[in-house]
Amino acid sequence: MARMKFLCDTERCIECNGCVTACKNEHEVPWGINRRRVVTINDGEKGERSLSVACMHCSDAPCMAVCPVDCFFQTADGVVLHDKDICIGCGYCFYACPFGAPQFPTGGVFGSRGKMDKCTFCAGGPGEANSAEQVRKYGRNRLAEGKLPICAEMCATKALLAGDGDVVADIFRQRMAYRGAAGLGTGWGVAYDKGLRKASGLDGKAAGKED
Amino acid sequence: MTDHPSRPAIPSEPRQHGVPPRVRARITRYLLALLAFVLIAPLVPYAAAYLGAGNVPNPGAGLWNEVRQRAGPADANTQARGVESAVLINQVGERWRQFRSEMLVPVGAWLLLGTLGFLALFWILRGRIPLEGGRSGQLVPRFSVNQRVVHWFAAILFVFLAVTGLVLLYGRFVLIPILGPEGFSATAAACKEGHNLFGPIFPFAVLAMIVLFLRGNGFNQIDLKWFFRAGGLLKGHPASSGYYNGGQKSWFWMVVLFGIAISISGLILDFGVFGQGREVMALAHVVHGGVAVVFIAASLGHIYIGTVGMEGAFESMSHGYVDANWAREHHDLWLAEMEAAGMVGVEPNALEEVKRHDNIDFKGFGSPGTKAVQG
C-alpha cells in the first residue's frame, strides 16, 4: 500500500499559485476557503522562498486526536479525511493543526463556523466515490480514478510533488544529490545552471556529468 | 609484621622477575597516557564545535527557522485571504492539544467525579442535615424577589451551559458509544449552537448577581472561625455566622471571579469574527475549559447543600423566607439582628408583604453590613 505524501521543493516553487487555482477549479471550492495556499518568506528580498502548503495528511494527525465528535478517518493510503455529516464546526482541528489546513465557512450563530473543509488529497470523503453527493461535499475523487492530486499534476516547475512517499522521496533525493548539499541555500540558478554551479564551487555528485 | 602461628602466612605478591622497576613505571605511564587519550579523544570534535571550528551551517536552516518562527514572526505573505494564512507552522497547536487531551479531559473528569463521590460519601455518612429544633413556624425574610429571579436566571443558564459544555468535552468518550456517531453529531451540533447562542447572556447574569449579592459578602473574623470549625458540617461543632457564612461568601466570590473569566474567554471564542488568531483562541480555550470544570465542580457542592443536603435551606431561594429555627442553627448572628429589628415572624403570604420586604431589603434588613455583625 502506498503512503501518500506531499512535498514542496522550495528551490523550485515560483509562487505562481497554479496549485491553488487548480485545486479551486477541480473541487469547486467556495470563496474564502483555501484548501491550499502558497506562502512566500522574505518576499522581494535575498533568500526569498515560497512554499505551497495544504493538509499534510499526518500519520498521527492532531485534528483526529482532538475532534470532539471523532469525524476524521485515515484511508489505507494514509490520507486523512473527514465526514461532513458528523462535523459540527467547532474549530478545534484548526487550533490543533500545525499547518492551518482546516477551513471554515461561516454558518452558525454570530458568524460562527460551519462544517470544516480541507484538502482531501483529491480522495473525496466517505460514501461512494465520485457520487454527486461526494463531489458536492468534498470535491472530485481523483485517487479513485487512479490519478494523483491535481495541484501537483498542474505544478509548472514540479516543485510540488504528491504521491507515494517512497517515490516522492526518491525524486527529491535525486534532486538533492544533483544539486549538492549546499544547493539548498543557493536557489534555482545554482541548482540547475551548470556554469553558475561550477563557479560557486557547490558541485554535487552529478555535477561532473556533461549532457 | 608478625604472623600468628596458627594462621597460614599470607602469600606475598609474586615477584616479577626480569622487569626492572624503572621499566614498569614507564609502562604504567604509557598506559595512563593511552587511557587519557582514549577518554579525551571523543570530546575533541565537541570542543571544536563549541569553539566554532568547522561550524558549517545547513544552508536550509535559515529558511526552516523562519518557517518555524524560531526568532519571532517570519516575514511571510500569501495571496490567500484568511486568519493567519501567512503562518506556515502553527506555534500553539501542540501545546493546546496537550493541555486539552492530557490535562483538561482527565483532570476535569477526576475533579467532577471526585466531587460527586465526595458528596455521595457525605450523604451516606452525614445524611440530610436536619433542623435540630424542628420548625418554629416563624418565618424570617431572607432573599428578595429580585435576588431570587436573578439567582434562578443565572442558575438555569449555568446548568444549561454546563451540560452543553460537558457534552462537547466528554461526549466523544461517553456519548458516542451510546448514541452512535450520527446521533452524537446531532446532539453535539445542537449543544454547540445552544452554547454559542445562550453563552453571551451569561455575563449579564454574572453582572446582576454581583449587583444584588455583593452586599454582605465581605470576609471578616467570623468567617475565619467558621472555616476553622469546618462550617459546622461535622456533628457537634456548630459554627457561628451572620447573614452569609464563609462558605457562601467563598461561593459568591467564585461566581464573580470564575464568571468574569469564563465570560471574557467565552466571548473571545464565540465571536471569532474579529480576526483573533489561534494563539488568542487557544489561550481563551484553556482559561474557559479550566475554569469551567472547577466552576461546575464547586456548583455541585452548592446545589447539594441548597437542595437535598440541608433541611430548610431551599425555601430561602424558592419563596424567600426561612424558618426562624433554621436561621438560629445556621445564621445565629443574623437571626439576632433580625429579632432586634423586629423582622421575625412576619406574614409572608400577601404579595404586598413581599413587596414591602423587598423594599426593606435594600434598606438593610438582614444585612451583615451593620455594625452589630461586622464587629
Side-chain angles (χ1 to χ4, degrees):
Chain A
M1 242 333 152
R3 176 64 182 87
M4 293 303 179
K5 281 290 164 201
F6 280 125
L7 192 150
C8 183
D9 187 340
T10 53
E11 296 310 302
R12 282 173 168 244
C13 181
I14 56 169
E15 200 202 352
C16 70
N17 278 291
C19 48
V20 176
T21 313
C23 174
K24 285 197 176 244
N25 184 60
E26 182 80 351
H27 303 300
E28 302 286 349
V29 181
W31 286 105
I33 302 290
N34 306 300
R35 285 193 180 183
R36 177 169 284 286
R37 67 194 194 279
V38 178
V39 178
T40 305
I41 297 214
N42 296 324
D43 199 358
E45 293 165 30
K46 188 170 176 289
E48 170 184 331
R49 290 290 182 282
S50 293
L51 270 161
S52 176
V53 64
C55 172
M56 296 300 272
H57 302 279
C58 306
S59 300
D60 183 8
C63 54
M64 286 180 79
V66 87
C67 178
V69 291
D70 203 8
C71 80
F72 290 89
F73 61 98
Q74 202 158 20
T75 69
D77 291 331
V79 176
V80 175
L81 298 176
H82 72 296
D83 190 337
K84 285 194 181 183
D85 294 335
I86 302 292
C87 174
I88 60 168
C90 66
Y92 289 1
C93 50
F94 180 61
Y95 303 158
C97 177
F99 308 106
Q103 303 284 304
F104 297 89
T106 51
V109 292
F110 309 130
S112 71
R113 304 175 187 90
K115 292 180 188 301
M116 190 271 276
D117 188 274
K118 75 168 188 69
C119 162
T120 64
F121 208 86
C122 287
E128 193 197 329
N130 281 318
S131 62
E133 192 193 359
Q134 199 194 56
V135 171
R136 179 172 57 79
K137 285 181 188 159
Y138 308 98
R140 291 206 65 78
N141 189 339
R142 289 171 56 89
L143 252 58
E145 295 167 343
K147 300 170 185 167
L148 284 170
I150 191 76
C151 49
E153 298 277 302
M154 296 291 281
C155 180
T157 60
K158 290 286 164 272
L160 185 60
L161 305 173
D164 182 10
D166 288 343
V167 179
V168 168
D170 278 347
I171 294 169
F172 192 65
R173 197 180 298 116
Q174 279 176 15
R175 290 182 185 179
M176 295 307 291
Y178 186 81
R179 295 171 198 169
L184 261 177
T186 55
W188 175 281
V190 171
Y192 291 99
D193 185 304
K194 286 194 201 70
L196 264 174
R197 204 170 62 239
K198 274 187 177 156
S200 65
L202 294 166
D203 283 0
K205 248 197 302 192
K209 281 184 192 168
E210 295 294 332
D211 52 305
Chain B
M1 235 208 294
T2 51
D3 286 343
H4 198 274
S6 65
R7 266 192 212 156
I10 297 162
S12 63
E13 208 176 316
R15 285 189 59 183
Q16 297 184 358
H17 298 282
V19 183
R22 272 175 58 204
V23 178
R24 280 178 62 193
R26 186 179 290 170
I27 290 169
T28 311
R29 274 205 299 276
Y30 280 136
L31 284 174
L32 282 173
L34 187 68
L35 183 67
F37 177 76
V38 166
L39 288 174
I40 291 165
L43 298 175
V44 171
Y46 293 100
Y50 181 75
L51 295 170
N55 187 5
V56 180
N58 181 340
L63 171 66
W64 299 112
N65 281 339
E66 287 205 61
V67 167
R68 293 300 308 268
Q69 302 185 38
R70 300 258 189 237
D75 171 18
N77 59 44
T78 176
Q79 298 300 312
R81 293 285 168 267
V83 176
E84 296 184 346
S85 287
V87 175
L88 277 166
I89 298 291
N90 174 10
Q91 300 301 303
V92 295
E94 277 302 273
R95 272 182 292 150
W96 172 77
R97 181 166 70 95
Q98 275 183 346
F99 167 79
R100 186 176 182 277
S101 310
E102 290 162 27
M103 286 286 297
L104 183 59
V105 168
V107 175
W110 282 114
L111 184 67
L112 294 171
L113 291 174
T115 307
L116 284 175
F118 174 79
L119 291 175
L121 197 69
F122 188 78
W123 171 258
I124 291 163
L125 293 179
R126 184 75 163 81
R128 185 170 215 213
I129 297 165
L131 279 174
E132 300 288 350
R135 288 191 181 273
S136 67
Q138 284 197 311
L139 296 178
V140 193
R142 184 153 172 83
F143 289 119
S144 76
V145 75
N146 288 337
Q147 284 177 313
R148 279 175 281 147
V149 165
V150 162
H151 173 269
W152 289 113
F153 173 62
I156 292 164
L157 202 53
F158 180 87
V159 170
F160 174 79
L161 293 171
V163 169
T164 52
L166 288 174
V167 165
L168 292 172
L169 189 58
Y170 293 109
R172 177 168 172 172
F173 317 106
V174 178
L175 292 179
I176 289 181
I178 300 167
L179 302 172
E182 287 82 12
F184 177 62
S185 174
T187 311
C191 285
K192 176 209 155 196
E193 294 296 334
H195 201 87
N196 285 352
L197 190 62
F198 289 100
I201 305 171
F202 193 65
F204 295 104
V206 173
L207 213 64
M209 293 278 280
I210 293 171
V211 170
L212 289 187
F213 289 88
L214 180 66
R215 196 171 190 183
N217 264 311
F219 285 98
N220 57 30
Q221 284 287 316
I222 298 161
D223 302 320
L224 207 62
K225 285 181 205 154
W226 186 90
F227 279 119
F228 275 122
R229 311 207 71 172
L233 282 173
L234 304 170
K235 273 181 189 169
H237 291 78
S240 207
S241 119
Y243 185 59
Y244 292 123
N245 62 37
Q248 290 165 326
K249 288 175 184 177
S250 304
W251 172 238
F252 171 79
W253 288 108
M254 272 191 253
V255 170
V256 173
L257 295 178
F258 293 167
I260 289 171
I262 218 162
S263 297
I264 292 171
S265 57
L267 290 171
I268 291 170
L269 290 165
D270 201 354
F271 294 88
V273 292
F274 297 109
Q276 59 266 46
R278 282 164 291 189
E279 196 162 3
V280 174
M281 290 288 222
L283 183 65
H285 184 275
V286 167
V287 171
H288 200 76
V291 167
V293 289
V294 178
F295 205 175
I296 293 167
S299 80
L300 292 174
H302 172 72
I303 292 166
Y304 171 82
I305 204 72
T307 54
V308 295
M310 181 186 280
E311 190 182 357
F314 188 77
E315 53 216 60
S316 68
M317 225 10 122
S318 58
H319 62 63
Y321 287 79
V322 291
D323 195 275
N325 275 351
W326 182 88
R328 183 168 292 111
E329 284 162 28
H330 300 293
H331 298 274
D332 49 348
L333 301 176
W334 170 60
L335 183 71
E337 197 189 339
M338 292 297 277
E339 276 170 341
M343 294 292 294
V344 176
V346 293
E347 188 59 51
N349 292 331
L351 187 66
E352 289 75 17
E353 290 288 298
V354 175
K355 277 183 183 164
R356 189 166 67 82
H357 292 310
D358 282 344
N359 292 335
I360 291 164
D361 182 34
F362 293 100
K363 288 178 198 143
F365 95 67
S367 105
T370 57
K371 279 170 189 157
V373 176
Q374 286 286 1

